[in-house]
Amino acid sequence: MAVTVPVTAQTAVARTGRHPPSPWGRLPLKAKVGAVLLGIFVMAAIVGPYLAPYNPSYQSPSVSLSMHAPDGAHWLGTTQSGQDVFSQLFTGIRLTLELAVVVGVVAGVLSVLVGISAAFLGGAWDESLSLVSNVFLVVPQLPLLIVLLGYLPQKGQAATILVLSALSWPWGARLIRAQTLAVRGRDFVAAARESGQSTLRIIAFEIVPNEVGLIAANFVNTVLYAIGASVALAFLGLADLSSWSLGTMLYWAESQQALQLGAWWWFLPPGLAVALIGVSLVLLNSGIDELGNPRLRNAVDTKRFVGRKVRLTDPTPVLLQGLNGRQGAEA
Amino acid sequence: MTVSLLASVGRGTRRLTRAKSQSRFLARRLLFYVVAAWAALTLNFLIPRAMPGSEVQDIMSKFPNLQPSAYKALEAMLGVGHAGSIWHQYGTYLVDVFHFNFGTDVMEYPAKVSTLLAESIPWTLILVGTATVIAFVIGTSLGIMAGWNPGGWFDRFLPGLMFFQAIPYFFLALILIYLFGIEIPLFPQSQGYAEGLVPGWNLSFIGSAVYHSLLPAFTIVLTSMAGWLLQMRNVMITTAGEDYVLAAQAKGLSRQRVILTYAARNAILPQLQGFGLALGFVVSGAIVMEIVFSYPGVGLLLFNAVTSHDFPLMQAVFLLITFAVLLANLIVDLVIVVVDPRAQAQERA
């Protein structure tokens, strides 16, 4: 007994020595790295077009500036027609992120509306709304997107946003419906109902605040999806090809033979930018996931406890140490 | 005697109810896929009628010296004139689809759309099918190992895997073409077989086709494997903490038996359920991959149809891909019914 007390006292001292962890401090490392990485790209999207040293569409007439490898004047080299890749990249990040965020917001609102109404209306409404979501989920998205955009005579930013938003809400709606059904049965909702609050008020002040985490995770996922889909569609030429986004950059690089000509500085930056934005979002999301599910949390913390390898299936380490201490005291 | 008889009767009725609930589950799923197929068919019917522009107008604008009177003749020739009421059109459309009559191709006139489809299906089916199964098997197996020993050496590769999960399919394809097709020319950059060969069942053609499919297949495996692996790892970590796994260990069962028949067997169920939904993504990725590699499959056909405004072909490819995905989902459901008795009780839709 006497040995266990110092152990707890020690931890208590260690605890009181520090301030209680801030929300940022409680985030897993993954989420922090993701947030910082994403922050860099968001900054680039905001100030990027002002940082771009040249007009991204300006075609330099000088022959020596065609397919020029990176140097001091052109940090990421030039394209075949002498356009500055660095300027294109920093203009393109904005357009791609802008599109993805708008799609994320529109689809997010749609999923919340559909998910919550399905859960609250119940009966035939629930059945039909769930059926529509499930049909949308099972129909492969890219072919449908290609067909829809293929028929549109003008393939601008607005058309892509419209089509992507219309197709990306069902997954979120399904998650939010399930969560709403679970939250609806809780005591505090019953209490709010008993106190005479209207259904709309209950939804706005009791249900939605309890789903903020899910809605945020869903938003991150939709943004990730929208970036991937919009870049793929633009790469296929199903976008406004006179504007600069990461997808149209890749389209021009591929169609003007950047690969065959060995111009890696032309096609690598936009692709890597897409991949890094994607990685930051995946990190952010799996970090949020770990916050909710302790078993996924970085297993390194639990792996070594007081120099002893501990498996997840073993008894809780704290208890174990207490037992060891007692044994030591008795001996 | 009586007791054992009673017991066997009890077992019999239980088996009967199980079969009943199984068939009810399957009937519900079947109904859902019929509805989904109908929705896709109807969507395919409505999209061209809701959008401005038509293929006839397209041809007219391509050949400016055509007389305006040619419009009706072109419509009749391509069988696209929207004559009659919308319900009448809808009826004709459904009858045509059930007879695999997708009309005449606009770009490769007078080739039938169904012929073009039949030529490209085997390419996609063999390449994408094989690559997807390989990715699923490798990803799931590695996920079992990674999930059983979280925090082990394997977790060091996790950030790299996330990179592969986030990277666009076609960009990885571009990099692979650049590295192994151009810088180090080990593999062909594009096409499904060497130029000059005639498709047929001979060794030189099959060899060339396999050789050309290696880089595209590698792209699919590399990108889709990461998703299977990460999901399996996460479910496996949760399952490994369950009491029945601990009990199996306590009984002194072999490590292999505990991992495979206790933990992994249960952890694989969400993986199977995810397979159907993930298939849509795999197919989408495969379409873009085919376009990058100019691989003569269904995806390239769809792309060519879109760029040349070949609307009948575009619609037919869309229907084909959608129906294939629905069918694959149905097969996954059948497998789930066999391996997971709980599936009949809960509605998975």
Side-chain angles (χ1 to χ4, degrees):
Chain A
M1 252 344 250
V3 188
T4 49
V5 176
V7 172
T8 27
Q10 225 172 12
T11 34
V13 169
R15 275 279 153 79
T16 45
R18 258 188 265 145
H19 293 288
S22 61
W24 173 257
R26 267 186 288 135
L27 279 181
L29 181 67
K30 271 187 200 170
K32 284 181 196 164
V33 173
V36 169
L37 199 58
L38 186 65
I40 294 171
F41 278 99
V42 171
M43 280 306 288
I46 294 169
V47 300
Y50 308 105
L51 284 184
Y54 303 90
N55 177 349
S57 303
Y58 174 69
Q59 306 189 352
S60 172
S62 149
V63 181
S64 61
L65 270 182
S66 168
M67 299 284 268
H68 199 285
D71 64 7
H74 296 276
W75 288 359
L76 290 174
T78 60
T79 71
Q80 196 166 30
S81 43
Q83 296 158 325
D84 183 45
V85 176
F86 183 80
S87 303
Q88 290 184 353
L89 185 70
F90 274 76
T91 319
I93 289 173
R94 170 185 274 198
L95 206 62
T96 300
L97 275 187
E98 202 176 70
L99 178 140
V101 168
V102 175
V103 171
V105 170
V106 175
V109 170
L110 278 176
S111 349
V112 172
L113 285 180
V114 174
I116 291 185
S117 355
F120 262 86
L121 294 172
W125 278 102
D126 185 17
E127 288 274 330
S128 43
L129 283 176
S130 300
L131 183 69
V132 172
S133 322
N134 288 329
V135 167
F136 267 104
L137 276 176
V138 82
V139 170
Q141 301 252 316
L142 194 71
L144 187 55
L145 285 169
I146 292 177
V147 169
L148 277 170
L149 283 175
Y151 271 108
L152 279 177
Q154 275 107 32
K155 300 169 185 39
Q157 182 95 336
T160 315
I161 289 178
L162 198 74
V163 173
L164 280 178
S165 312
L167 290 188
S168 54
W169 58 266
W171 184 250
R174 194 164 119 151
L175 293 177
I176 286 167
R177 173 186 168 269
Q179 177 85 354
T180 308
L181 284 177
V183 173
R184 213 172 68 132
R186 298 254 194 91
D187 288 345
F188 61 87
V189 177
R193 200 184 300 275
E194 288 306 312
S195 69
Q197 292 183 21
S198 70
T199 308
L200 278 182
R201 201 187 144 82
I202 291 176
I203 290 174
F205 292 99
E206 310 290 344
I207 306 279
V208 174
N210 274 293
E211 290 173 355
V212 167
L214 188 65
I215 294 172
N218 180 39
F219 174 76
V220 172
N221 266 334
T222 313
V223 168
L224 187 63
Y225 163 80
I227 290 176
S230 70
V231 168
L233 288 170
F235 174 72
L236 298 180
L238 293 166
D240 177 11
L241 294 174
S242 61
S243 67
W244 291 107
S245 71
L246 297 175
T248 53
M249 277 183 81
L250 284 164
Y251 170 83
W252 288 115
E254 213 252 346
S255 62
Q256 295 182 349
Q257 310 276 312
L259 284 139
Q260 283 74 14
L261 297 168
W264 52 267
W265 59 86
W266 190 359
F267 67 87
L268 274 186
L272 285 180
V274 174
L276 284 177
I277 296 173
V279 169
S280 72
L281 291 170
V282 171
L283 282 175
L284 201 61
N285 231 7
S286 77
I288 296 173
D289 236 19
E290 281 178 14
L291 210 57
N293 184 356
R295 272 180 178 161
L296 295 178
R297 214 168 284 165
N298 202 345
V300 176
D301 301 346
T302 50
K303 195 182 157 195
R304 296 208 171 272
F305 193 86
V306 220
R308 186 179 172 281
K309 196 176 172 185
V310 178
R311 274 203 47 79
L312 283 167
T313 46
D314 288 341
T316 320
V318 179
L319 190 74
L320 201 79
Q321 201 192 11
L323 284 173
N324 286 349
R326 191 176 300 163
Q327 274 165 2
E330 274 160 12
Chain B
M1 191 58 196
T2 356
V3 174
S4 74
L5 194 73
L6 271 177
S8 74
V9 167
R11 214 179 299 139
T13 46
R14 203 178 307 140
R15 199 173 296 144
L16 195 74
T17 47
R18 188 180 164 189
K20 214 178 189 176
S21 65
Q22 268 181 347
S23 56
R24 193 180 304 146
F25 169 77
L26 280 180
R28 272 193 79 105
R29 298 303 299 161
L30 200 64
L31 187 69
F32 168 71
Y33 291 121
V34 169
V35 172
W38 169 78
L41 270 174
T42 309
L43 212 59
N44 196 40
F45 172 78
L46 289 178
I47 291 170
R49 283 162 182 80
M51 298 282 187
S54 80
E55 54 263 66
V56 178
Q57 221 139 35
D58 231 69
I59 298 178
M60 294 288 281
S61 59
K62 246 176 224 156
F63 304 98
N65 45 357
L66 275 177
Q67 297 294 315
S69 58
Y71 197 93
K72 278 268 173 261
L74 272 172
E75 272 190 351
M77 184 179 84
L78 297 166
V80 293
H82 301 325
S85 74
I86 192 106
W87 293 109
H88 177 73
Q89 288 174 38
Y90 189 54
T92 334
Y93 162 80
L94 288 182
V95 170
D96 279 351
V97 169
F98 279 109
H99 289 95
F100 298 106
N101 177 12
F102 297 107
T104 314
D105 193 51
V106 181
M107 281 307 128
E108 296 192 28
Y109 188 83
K112 286 263 177 261
V113 168
S114 44
T115 323
L116 292 175
L117 280 181
E119 278 170 11
S120 57
I121 289 173
W123 291 99
T124 301
L125 207 58
I126 295 173
L127 172 72
V128 180
T130 319
T132 305
V133 170
I134 292 176
F136 183 79
V137 171
I138 297 182
T140 306
S141 319
L142 289 178
I144 291 174
M145 293 197 273
W148 184 251
N149 190 12
W153 59 272
F154 200 90
D155 281 12
R156 275 163 223 200
F157 297 99
L158 283 183
L161 280 175
M162 282 182 186
F163 186 76
F164 277 119
Q165 208 186 14
I167 198 170
Y169 264 47
F170 66 87
F171 183 59
L172 187 73
L174 287 179
I175 291 181
L176 287 177
I177 293 178
Y178 179 67
L179 287 180
F180 301 112
I182 294 166
E183 288 295 302
I184 316 162
L186 281 177
F187 296 101
Q189 298 169 25
S190 62
Q191 307 295 334
Y193 49 93
E195 259 174 77
L197 284 178
V198 182
W201 292 110
N202 54 64
L203 221 63
S204 65
F205 174 73
I206 293 174
S208 170
V210 169
Y211 183 44
H212 277 74
S213 71
L214 288 178
L215 215 48
F218 189 57
T219 312
I220 299 182
V221 171
L222 211 55
T223 39
S224 55
M225 196 184 76
W228 300 127
L229 199 161
L230 289 173
Q231 190 191 334
M232 191 64 198
R233 174 184 174 269
N234 286 357
V235 181
M236 190 71 186
I237 289 176
T238 316
T239 316
E242 296 286 348
D243 287 342
Y244 58 81
V245 176
L246 189 63
Q249 278 178 309
K251 275 199 285 187
L253 295 179
S254 76
R255 199 177 129 81
Q256 193 190 352
R257 196 167 148 79
V258 174
I259 294 176
L260 292 181
T261 55
Y262 282 75
R265 198 191 146 121
N266 287 293
I268 207 164
L269 293 173
Q271 187 88 334
L272 274 180
Q273 299 195 335
F275 191 83
L277 285 178
L279 214 63
F281 287 100
V282 173
V283 166
S284 302
I287 289 172
V288 186
M289 184 278 305
E290 277 184 8
I291 296 165
V292 174
F293 281 99
S294 306
Y295 197 79
V298 176
L300 188 65
L301 199 64
L302 178 65
F303 177 67
N304 288 340
V306 171
T307 45
S308 57
H309 295 262
D310 189 344
F311 296 113
L313 184 59
M314 195 160 100
Q315 288 188 294
V317 175
F318 167 70
L319 276 187
L320 177 82
I321 295 175
T322 308
F323 281 20
V325 169
L326 290 182
L327 188 70
N329 268 288
L330 183 64
I331 295 171
V332 170
D333 276 345
L334 287 173
V335 173
I336 287 175
V337 163
V338 174
V339 298
D340 187 3
R342 291 170 304 179
Q344 308 124 35
Q346 64 198 7
E347 182 56 40
R348 193 179 72 89

